mmCIF file of all heavy atoms in Angstrom:
data_model
loop_
_atom_site.group_PDB
_atom_site.id
_atom_site.type_symbol
_atom_site.label_atom_id
_atom_site.label_comp_id
_atom_site.label_asym_id
_atom_site.label_seq_id
_atom_site.Cartn_x
_atom_site.Cartn_y
_atom_site.Cartn_z
ATOM 1 N N PRO A 2 -8.391 -3.866 -8.598
ATOM 2 C CA PRO A 2 -7.327 -2.991 -9.113
ATOM 3 C C PRO A 2 -5.983 -3.159 -8.439
ATOM 4 O O PRO A 2 -5.966 -3.579 -7.168
ATOM 5 C CB PRO A 2 -7.857 -1.536 -8.859
ATOM 6 C CG PRO A 2 -9.291 -1.687 -8.643
ATOM 7 C CD PRO A 2 -9.480 -3.000 -7.955
ATOM 8 N N THR A 3 -4.889 -3.061 -9.141
ATOM 9 C CA THR A 3 -3.550 -3.286 -8.611
ATOM 10 C C THR A 3 -2.744 -1.981 -8.755
ATOM 11 O O THR A 3 -3.033 -1.149 -9.639
ATOM 12 C CB THR A 3 -2.810 -4.444 -9.216
ATOM 13 O OG1 THR A 3 -2.756 -4.167 -10.574
ATOM 14 C CG2 THR A 3 -3.523 -5.767 -8.966
ATOM 15 N N PHE A 4 -1.827 -1.733 -7.931
ATOM 16 C CA PHE A 4 -0.960 -0.605 -7.945
ATOM 17 C C PHE A 4 0.426 -0.922 -7.627
ATOM 18 O O PHE A 4 0.780 -1.818 -6.972
ATOM 19 C CB PHE A 4 -1.456 0.491 -6.829
ATOM 20 C CG PHE A 4 -2.972 0.788 -6.927
ATOM 21 C CD1 PHE A 4 -3.888 0.030 -6.194
ATOM 22 C CD2 PHE A 4 -3.432 1.651 -7.784
ATOM 23 C CE1 PHE A 4 -5.240 0.226 -6.189
ATOM 24 C CE2 PHE A 4 -4.837 1.924 -7.971
ATOM 25 C CZ PHE A 4 -5.721 1.229 -7.107
ATOM 26 N N THR A 5 1.305 0.054 -8.100
ATOM 27 C CA THR A 5 2.864 -0.046 -7.794
ATOM 28 C C THR A 5 3.099 1.059 -6.746
ATOM 29 O O THR A 5 2.846 2.272 -7.041
ATOM 30 C CB THR A 5 3.698 0.141 -9.030
ATOM 31 O OG1 THR A 5 3.286 -0.851 -9.953
ATOM 32 C CG2 THR A 5 5.142 -0.015 -8.689
ATOM 33 N N VAL A 6 3.548 0.649 -5.540
ATOM 34 C CA VAL A 6 4.011 1.614 -4.558
ATOM 35 C C VAL A 6 5.415 1.972 -4.769
ATOM 36 O O VAL A 6 6.311 1.140 -4.845
ATOM 37 C CB VAL A 6 3.790 0.954 -3.150
ATOM 38 C CG1 VAL A 6 4.292 1.927 -2.079
ATOM 39 C CG2 VAL A 6 2.319 0.520 -3.038
ATOM 40 N N ILE A 7 5.744 3.267 -4.829
ATOM 41 C CA ILE A 7 7.119 3.804 -4.997
ATOM 42 C C ILE A 7 7.674 4.527 -3.914
ATOM 43 O O ILE A 7 8.761 4.973 -3.873
ATOM 44 C CB ILE A 7 7.072 4.701 -6.318
ATOM 45 C CG1 ILE A 7 6.291 5.981 -6.032
ATOM 46 C CG2 ILE A 7 6.573 3.996 -7.534
ATOM 47 C CD1 ILE A 7 6.532 7.012 -7.075
ATOM 48 N N GLY A 8 6.783 4.603 -2.811
ATOM 49 C CA GLY A 8 7.246 5.210 -1.554
ATOM 50 C C GLY A 8 6.349 5.389 -0.454
ATOM 51 O O GLY A 8 5.109 4.902 -0.663
ATOM 52 N N LYS A 9 6.783 5.709 0.697
ATOM 53 C CA LYS A 9 5.833 5.832 1.873
ATOM 54 C C LYS A 9 6.066 7.327 2.361
ATOM 55 O O LYS A 9 7.077 7.887 2.244
ATOM 56 C CB LYS A 9 6.283 4.893 2.932
ATOM 57 C CG LYS A 9 5.952 3.421 2.602
ATOM 58 C CD LYS A 9 6.314 2.468 3.776
ATOM 59 C CE LYS A 9 6.047 1.090 3.559
ATOM 60 N NZ LYS A 9 6.401 0.151 4.727
ATOM 61 N N ALA A 10 4.897 7.776 2.958
ATOM 62 C CA ALA A 10 4.959 9.183 3.588
ATOM 63 C C ALA A 10 4.046 9.178 4.768
ATOM 64 O O ALA A 10 3.238 8.225 5.041
ATOM 65 C CB ALA A 10 4.428 10.149 2.481
ATOM 66 N N LYS A 11 4.179 10.284 5.620
ATOM 67 C CA LYS A 11 3.411 10.387 6.827
ATOM 68 C C LYS A 11 2.487 11.674 6.690
ATOM 69 O O LYS A 11 2.891 12.718 6.030
ATOM 70 C CB LYS A 11 4.210 10.571 7.968
ATOM 71 C CG LYS A 11 5.150 9.489 8.411
ATOM 72 C CD LYS A 11 4.320 8.405 9.127
ATOM 73 C CE LYS A 11 5.298 7.269 9.726
ATOM 74 N NZ LYS A 11 4.517 6.229 10.394
ATOM 75 N N SER A 12 1.244 11.464 7.126
ATOM 76 C CA SER A 12 0.329 12.667 7.015
ATOM 77 C C SER A 12 0.725 13.613 8.163
ATOM 78 O O SER A 12 1.568 13.278 9.028
ATOM 79 C CB SER A 12 -1.144 12.227 7.164
ATOM 80 O OG SER A 12 -1.333 11.631 8.498
ATOM 81 N N ASN A 13 0.040 14.791 8.275
ATOM 82 C CA ASN A 13 0.294 15.791 9.358
ATOM 83 C C ASN A 13 0.099 15.167 10.739
ATOM 84 O O ASN A 13 0.700 15.464 11.781
ATOM 85 C CB ASN A 13 -0.544 16.870 9.224
ATOM 86 C CG ASN A 13 0.002 17.810 8.108
ATOM 87 O OD1 ASN A 13 1.059 17.560 7.462
ATOM 88 N ND2 ASN A 13 -0.874 18.760 7.565
ATOM 89 N N ASN A 14 -0.841 14.071 10.858
ATOM 90 C CA ASN A 14 -1.105 13.532 12.130
ATOM 91 C C ASN A 14 -0.397 12.161 12.292
ATOM 92 O O ASN A 14 -0.726 11.389 13.167
ATOM 93 C CB ASN A 14 -2.687 13.390 12.403
ATOM 94 C CG ASN A 14 -3.247 12.544 11.253
ATOM 95 O OD1 ASN A 14 -2.608 12.162 10.267
ATOM 96 N ND2 ASN A 14 -4.558 12.228 11.360
ATOM 97 N N GLY A 15 0.554 11.958 11.476
ATOM 98 C CA GLY A 15 1.480 10.754 11.636
ATOM 99 C C GLY A 15 0.978 9.455 10.970
ATOM 100 O O GLY A 15 1.530 8.434 11.380
ATOM 101 N N VAL A 16 -0.044 9.510 10.200
ATOM 102 C CA VAL A 16 -0.562 8.233 9.531
ATOM 103 C C VAL A 16 0.260 7.823 8.292
ATOM 104 O O VAL A 16 0.458 8.692 7.511
ATOM 105 C CB VAL A 16 -2.012 8.348 9.242
ATOM 106 C CG1 VAL A 16 -2.640 7.058 8.668
ATOM 107 C CG2 VAL A 16 -2.830 8.665 10.521
ATOM 108 N N THR A 17 0.668 6.636 8.135
ATOM 109 C CA THR A 17 1.365 6.202 6.940
ATOM 110 C C THR A 17 0.529 6.114 5.801
ATOM 111 O O THR A 17 -0.565 5.627 5.834
ATOM 112 C CB THR A 17 2.077 4.857 7.224
ATOM 113 O OG1 THR A 17 2.890 4.799 8.301
ATOM 114 C CG2 THR A 17 2.894 4.368 6.094
ATOM 115 N N ARG A 18 1.003 6.663 4.699
ATOM 116 C CA ARG A 18 0.398 6.589 3.313
ATOM 117 C C ARG A 18 1.384 5.928 2.330
ATOM 118 O O ARG A 18 2.562 5.985 2.477
ATOM 119 C CB ARG A 18 0.168 8.063 2.851
ATOM 120 C CG ARG A 18 -0.663 8.901 3.790
ATOM 121 C CD ARG A 18 -1.901 8.414 4.284
ATOM 122 N NE ARG A 18 -2.725 9.535 4.930
ATOM 123 C CZ ARG A 18 -3.745 9.216 5.631
ATOM 124 N NH1 ARG A 18 -4.250 7.982 5.963
ATOM 125 N NH2 ARG A 18 -4.550 10.159 6.314
ATOM 126 N N TYR A 19 0.784 5.373 1.320
ATOM 127 C CA TYR A 19 1.488 4.779 0.174
ATOM 128 C C TYR A 19 1.525 5.908 -1.035
ATOM 129 O O TYR A 19 0.511 6.377 -1.356
ATOM 130 C CB TYR A 19 0.958 3.480 -0.398
ATOM 131 C CG TYR A 19 1.212 2.286 0.511
ATOM 132 C CD1 TYR A 19 0.283 1.204 0.493
ATOM 133 C CD2 TYR A 19 2.324 2.127 1.278
ATOM 134 C CE1 TYR A 19 0.556 0.141 1.273
ATOM 135 C CE2 TYR A 19 2.663 1.128 2.034
ATOM 136 C CZ TYR A 19 1.692 0.032 2.065
ATOM 137 O OH TYR A 19 2.072 -1.059 2.795
ATOM 138 N N LYS A 20 2.716 6.148 -1.583
ATOM 139 C CA LYS A 20 2.699 6.902 -2.715
ATOM 140 C C LYS A 20 2.781 6.057 -3.967
ATOM 141 O O LYS A 20 3.595 5.090 -4.014
ATOM 142 C CB LYS A 20 3.969 7.827 -2.780
ATOM 143 C CG LYS A 20 4.047 8.794 -3.868
ATOM 144 C CD LYS A 20 5.193 9.645 -3.865
ATOM 145 C CE LYS A 20 5.211 10.706 -5.034
ATOM 146 N NZ LYS A 20 6.273 11.608 -5.123
ATOM 147 N N LEU A 21 1.803 6.168 -4.864
ATOM 148 C CA LEU A 21 1.805 5.421 -6.160
ATOM 149 C C LEU A 21 2.636 5.874 -7.262
ATOM 150 O O LEU A 21 3.088 7.022 -7.264
ATOM 151 C CB LEU A 21 0.281 5.185 -6.465
ATOM 152 C CG LEU A 21 -0.711 4.794 -5.380
ATOM 153 C CD1 LEU A 21 -2.116 4.683 -5.992
ATOM 154 C CD2 LEU A 21 -0.285 3.500 -4.827
ATOM 155 N N SER A 22 2.785 4.952 -8.236
ATOM 156 C CA SER A 22 3.563 5.375 -9.406
ATOM 157 C C SER A 22 2.999 6.469 -10.163
ATOM 158 O O SER A 22 3.487 7.180 -10.934
ATOM 159 C CB SER A 22 3.751 4.206 -10.251
ATOM 160 O OG SER A 22 2.511 3.583 -10.683
ATOM 161 N N ASN A 23 1.586 6.766 -9.994
ATOM 162 C CA ASN A 23 0.894 7.824 -10.670
ATOM 163 C C ASN A 23 0.987 9.201 -9.910
ATOM 164 O O ASN A 23 0.450 10.119 -10.301
ATOM 165 C CB ASN A 23 -0.560 7.539 -10.960
ATOM 166 C CG ASN A 23 -1.336 7.349 -9.713
ATOM 167 O OD1 ASN A 23 -0.816 7.458 -8.565
ATOM 168 N ND2 ASN A 23 -2.609 6.799 -9.934
ATOM 169 N N GLY A 24 1.704 9.134 -8.728
ATOM 170 C CA GLY A 24 1.945 10.368 -7.976
ATOM 171 C C GLY A 24 0.890 10.594 -6.926
ATOM 172 O O GLY A 24 1.029 11.480 -6.060
ATOM 173 N N ASN A 25 -0.193 9.742 -6.903
ATOM 174 C CA ASN A 25 -1.259 9.973 -5.911
ATOM 175 C C ASN A 25 -0.884 9.164 -4.543
ATOM 176 O O ASN A 25 -0.011 8.319 -4.645
ATOM 177 C CB ASN A 25 -2.615 9.472 -6.510
ATOM 178 C CG ASN A 25 -3.082 10.292 -7.625
ATOM 179 O OD1 ASN A 25 -2.717 11.492 -7.784
ATOM 180 N ND2 ASN A 25 -3.873 9.761 -8.425
ATOM 181 N N TYR A 26 -1.686 9.433 -3.528
ATOM 182 C CA TYR A 26 -1.443 8.765 -2.233
ATOM 183 C C TYR A 26 -2.738 7.978 -1.897
ATOM 184 O O TYR A 26 -3.817 8.420 -2.166
ATOM 185 C CB TYR A 26 -1.145 9.861 -1.226
ATOM 186 C CG TYR A 26 0.094 10.590 -1.371
ATOM 187 C CD1 TYR A 26 0.147 11.709 -2.126
ATOM 188 C CD2 TYR A 26 1.288 10.054 -0.813
ATOM 189 C CE1 TYR A 26 1.323 12.360 -2.360
ATOM 190 C CE2 TYR A 26 2.449 10.731 -1.032
ATOM 191 C CZ TYR A 26 2.560 11.929 -1.798
ATOM 192 O OH TYR A 26 3.666 12.510 -1.941
ATOM 193 N N ILE A 27 -2.465 6.894 -1.273
ATOM 194 C CA ILE A 27 -3.666 6.087 -0.755
ATOM 195 C C ILE A 27 -3.311 5.659 0.640
ATOM 196 O O ILE A 27 -2.185 5.699 1.147
ATOM 197 C CB ILE A 27 -3.882 4.862 -1.650
ATOM 198 C CG1 ILE A 27 -2.670 3.777 -1.726
ATOM 199 C CG2 ILE A 27 -4.229 5.280 -3.153
ATOM 200 C CD1 ILE A 27 -2.982 2.471 -2.328
ATOM 201 N N THR A 28 -4.324 4.965 1.241
ATOM 202 C CA THR A 28 -4.181 4.356 2.608
ATOM 203 C C THR A 28 -3.137 3.302 2.558
ATOM 204 O O THR A 28 -3.110 2.546 1.555
ATOM 205 C CB THR A 28 -5.444 4.015 3.215
ATOM 206 O OG1 THR A 28 -5.254 3.351 4.472
ATOM 207 C CG2 THR A 28 -6.154 2.981 2.303
ATOM 208 N N ALA A 29 -2.502 3.059 3.713
ATOM 209 C CA ALA A 29 -1.603 1.872 3.731
ATOM 210 C C ALA A 29 -2.175 0.749 4.733
ATOM 211 O O ALA A 29 -1.621 -0.120 5.039
ATOM 212 C CB ALA A 29 -0.183 2.428 4.310
ATOM 213 N N SER A 30 -3.444 1.066 5.113
ATOM 214 C CA SER A 30 -4.116 0.138 6.025
ATOM 215 C C SER A 30 -4.318 -1.218 5.401
ATOM 216 O O SER A 30 -4.801 -1.316 4.212
ATOM 217 C CB SER A 30 -5.480 0.780 6.366
ATOM 218 O OG SER A 30 -6.193 -0.205 7.164
ATOM 219 N N SER A 31 -3.932 -2.285 6.056
ATOM 220 C CA SER A 31 -4.037 -3.648 5.578
ATOM 221 C C SER A 31 -5.584 -4.013 5.427
ATOM 222 O O SER A 31 -5.965 -5.062 4.852
ATOM 223 C CB SER A 31 -3.481 -4.621 6.654
ATOM 224 O OG SER A 31 -3.992 -4.544 7.872
ATOM 225 N N LYS A 32 -6.494 -3.255 5.999
ATOM 226 C CA LYS A 32 -7.953 -3.463 5.719
ATOM 227 C C LYS A 32 -8.346 -3.161 4.338
ATOM 228 O O LYS A 32 -9.317 -3.669 3.752
ATOM 229 C CB LYS A 32 -8.746 -2.677 6.773
ATOM 230 C CG LYS A 32 -8.590 -3.021 8.237
ATOM 231 C CD LYS A 32 -9.461 -2.119 9.038
ATOM 232 C CE LYS A 32 -9.345 -2.472 10.477
ATOM 233 N NZ LYS A 32 -10.253 -1.584 11.438
ATOM 234 N N TYR A 33 -7.567 -2.294 3.667
ATOM 235 C CA TYR A 33 -8.005 -1.746 2.444
ATOM 236 C C TYR A 33 -6.985 -2.290 1.255
ATOM 237 O O TYR A 33 -7.459 -2.409 0.122
ATOM 238 C CB TYR A 33 -7.891 -0.205 2.315
ATOM 239 C CG TYR A 33 -9.175 0.364 3.122
ATOM 240 C CD1 TYR A 33 -8.998 0.614 4.505
ATOM 241 C CD2 TYR A 33 -10.372 0.591 2.475
ATOM 242 C CE1 TYR A 33 -10.046 1.235 5.199
ATOM 243 C CE2 TYR A 33 -11.427 1.089 3.335
ATOM 244 C CZ TYR A 33 -11.176 1.363 4.629
ATOM 245 O OH TYR A 33 -12.269 1.820 5.385
ATOM 246 N N VAL A 34 -5.775 -2.494 1.551
ATOM 247 C CA VAL A 34 -4.889 -2.934 0.584
ATOM 248 C C VAL A 34 -3.877 -4.040 1.063
ATOM 249 O O VAL A 34 -3.714 -4.257 2.319
ATOM 250 C CB VAL A 34 -3.906 -1.775 0.044
ATOM 251 C CG1 VAL A 34 -4.661 -0.745 -0.659
ATOM 252 C CG2 VAL A 34 -3.076 -1.172 1.183
ATOM 253 N N GLY A 35 -3.276 -4.835 0.170
ATOM 254 C CA GLY A 35 -2.390 -5.929 0.657
ATOM 255 C C GLY A 35 -1.351 -6.213 -0.462
ATOM 256 O O GLY A 35 -1.649 -5.836 -1.616
ATOM 257 N N PRO A 36 -0.389 -6.917 -0.134
ATOM 258 C CA PRO A 36 0.693 -7.340 -1.208
ATOM 259 C C PRO A 36 0.006 -8.105 -2.242
ATOM 260 O O PRO A 36 -0.774 -8.989 -1.921
ATOM 261 C CB PRO A 36 1.708 -8.138 -0.308
ATOM 262 C CG PRO A 36 1.519 -7.739 1.012
ATOM 263 C CD PRO A 36 0.028 -7.363 1.201
ATOM 264 N N LEU A 37 0.329 -7.838 -3.419
ATOM 265 C CA LEU A 37 -0.227 -8.565 -4.542
ATOM 266 C C LEU A 37 0.244 -9.995 -4.608
ATOM 267 O O LEU A 37 -0.417 -10.828 -5.141
ATOM 268 C CB LEU A 37 0.039 -7.861 -5.954
ATOM 269 C CG LEU A 37 -0.402 -8.511 -7.193
ATOM 270 C CD1 LEU A 37 -1.991 -8.640 -7.112
ATOM 271 C CD2 LEU A 37 -0.090 -7.658 -8.408
ATOM 272 N N TYR A 38 1.420 -10.332 -4.181
ATOM 273 C CA TYR A 38 2.048 -11.567 -4.212
ATOM 274 C C TYR A 38 2.163 -12.239 -2.896
ATOM 275 O O TYR A 38 2.466 -11.491 -1.929
ATOM 276 C CB TYR A 38 3.463 -11.585 -4.936
ATOM 277 C CG TYR A 38 3.343 -11.186 -6.384
ATOM 278 C CD1 TYR A 38 3.312 -9.847 -6.832
ATOM 279 C CD2 TYR A 38 3.256 -12.219 -7.396
ATOM 280 C CE1 TYR A 38 3.250 -9.546 -8.180
ATOM 281 C CE2 TYR A 38 3.191 -11.861 -8.700
ATOM 282 C CZ TYR A 38 3.122 -10.616 -9.154
ATOM 283 O OH TYR A 38 3.044 -10.285 -10.449
ATOM 284 N N TRP A 39 2.006 -13.511 -2.859
ATOM 285 C CA TRP A 39 2.097 -14.285 -1.631
ATOM 286 C C TRP A 39 3.598 -14.145 -1.170
ATOM 287 O O TRP A 39 4.528 -14.214 -1.851
ATOM 288 C CB TRP A 39 1.893 -15.784 -1.823
ATOM 289 C CG TRP A 39 0.378 -16.077 -2.129
ATOM 290 C CD1 TRP A 39 -0.145 -16.452 -3.363
ATOM 291 C CD2 TRP A 39 -0.611 -16.238 -1.145
ATOM 292 N NE1 TRP A 39 -1.485 -16.710 -3.202
ATOM 293 C CE2 TRP A 39 -1.804 -16.542 -1.851
ATOM 294 C CE3 TRP A 39 -0.719 -16.062 0.177
ATOM 295 C CZ2 TRP A 39 -3.051 -16.711 -1.387
ATOM 296 C CZ3 TRP A 39 -2.024 -16.175 0.764
ATOM 297 C CH2 TRP A 39 -3.099 -16.516 0.027
ATOM 298 N N GLN A 40 3.773 -14.016 0.270
ATOM 299 C CA GLN A 40 5.098 -13.788 0.856
ATOM 300 C C GLN A 40 5.375 -15.065 1.756
ATOM 301 O O GLN A 40 6.602 -15.000 2.236
ATOM 302 C CB GLN A 40 5.099 -12.595 1.638
ATOM 303 C CG GLN A 40 4.759 -11.327 0.824
ATOM 304 C CD GLN A 40 5.795 -11.095 -0.278
ATOM 305 O OE1 GLN A 40 6.970 -11.130 -0.064
ATOM 306 N NE2 GLN A 40 5.299 -10.794 -1.563
ATOM 307 N N GLY A 41 4.534 -15.915 1.930
ATOM 308 C CA GLY A 41 4.871 -17.023 2.868
ATOM 309 C C GLY A 41 4.466 -18.391 2.203
ATOM 310 O O GLY A 41 3.752 -18.531 1.075
ATOM 311 N N ASN A 42 5.040 -19.480 2.771
ATOM 312 C CA ASN A 42 4.817 -20.703 2.211
ATOM 313 C C ASN A 42 3.358 -21.216 2.538
ATOM 314 O O ASN A 42 2.918 -21.109 3.709
ATOM 315 C CB ASN A 42 5.811 -21.788 2.834
ATOM 316 C CG ASN A 42 7.196 -21.553 2.192
ATOM 317 O OD1 ASN A 42 7.306 -21.287 1.088
ATOM 318 N ND2 ASN A 42 8.173 -21.691 3.072
ATOM 319 N N HIS A 43 2.794 -21.790 1.627
ATOM 320 C CA HIS A 43 1.472 -22.475 1.814
ATOM 321 C C HIS A 43 1.308 -23.775 0.985
ATOM 322 O O HIS A 43 1.617 -23.803 -0.193
ATOM 323 C CB HIS A 43 0.339 -21.634 1.262
ATOM 324 C CG HIS A 43 0.270 -20.228 2.009
ATOM 325 N ND1 HIS A 43 -0.256 -20.185 3.296
ATOM 326 C CD2 HIS A 43 0.680 -19.006 1.644
ATOM 327 C CE1 HIS A 43 -0.100 -18.775 3.718
ATOM 328 N NE2 HIS A 43 0.373 -18.145 2.768
ATOM 329 N N SER A 44 1.051 -24.875 1.721
ATOM 330 C CA SER A 44 1.177 -26.239 1.060
ATOM 331 C C SER A 44 0.050 -26.492 0.131
ATOM 332 O O SER A 44 0.233 -27.277 -0.799
ATOM 333 C CB SER A 44 1.268 -27.344 2.192
ATOM 334 O OG SER A 44 0.097 -27.303 3.018
#
């Protein structure tokens, strides 16, 4: 599944969350989500 991130927020204990275009929040941990598009050069 893919998502559009429209903002970032902090939980009460300071953990970063992603706010999605549907209004819900998900983890920002790189273990669970990553950029949909490549950001670096690969030959």
Side-chain angles (χ1 to χ4, degrees):
T3 61
F4 309 94
T5 299
V6 178
I7 63 170
K9 292 182 180 181
K11 296 278 189 180
S12 65
N13 287 346
N14 56 356
V16 179
T17 301
R18 311 299 194 196
Y19 283 150
K20 183 176 182 180
L21 305 180
S22 56
N23 62 7
N25 295 334
Y26 295 87
I27 63 171
T28 178
S30 172
S31 58
K32 293 180 180 180
Y33 291 89
V34 295
L37 179 59
Y38 290 89
W39 291 104
Q40 301 298 313
N42 289 318
H43 300 285
S44 60

